[in-house]
Amino acid sequence: MNTNTIESSDTLVTNEESFTIEGMTLAGATINVTAGPEGQLDLGSTTADQTGAYSIDIDLLEGGTTIMVTSMLGDDSVTEEFILHRAVGT
């Protein structure tokens, strides 16, 4: 988690303009990061390394945003969702 980020009521709160999402999944899986209630805003993608680790930097919008991280390999996919709030002026 970024150093200027806290968790409050199941929402991550940061004052940073960008945020790094890191995780583990299946080796070689494609990771897609989207935002919005329906995942309509594409924030980027990456590929997990041979150990399944991945890291992707995203630019943040002001206010609260639902972030969806989807791992896909073949016909299998897993999506995790969280709320990330960029606090401006703090």
Side-chain angles (χ1 to χ4, degrees):
M1 190 176 332
N2 296 38
T3 56
N4 292 329
T5 302
I6 61 169
E7 186 171 353
S8 174
S9 301
D10 297 324
T11 298
L12 295 175
V13 180
T14 186
N15 63 355
E16 299 293 325
E17 293 182 8
S18 63
F19 189 80
T20 301
I21 297 172
E22 300 173 322
M24 294 291 296
T25 189
L26 298 172
T30 299
I31 311 302
N32 292 315
V33 181
T34 57
E38 304 296 323
Q40 65 271 30
L41 180 60
D42 180 17
L43 298 180
S45 64
T46 191
T47 302
D49 68 16
Q50 66 275 11
T51 67
Y54 67 89
S55 176
I56 185 168
D57 294 325
I58 61 171
D59 293 326
L60 299 178
L61 304 171
E62 292 181 17
T65 304
T66 300
I67 305 289
M68 288 180 254
V69 180
T70 303
S71 170
M72 296 182 298
L73 186 63
D75 292 334
D76 296 325
S77 70
V78 175
T79 300
E80 292 196 28
E81 187 176 298
F82 62 94
I83 299 172
L84 184 59
H85 184 89
R86 179 176 169 222
V88 178
T90 58

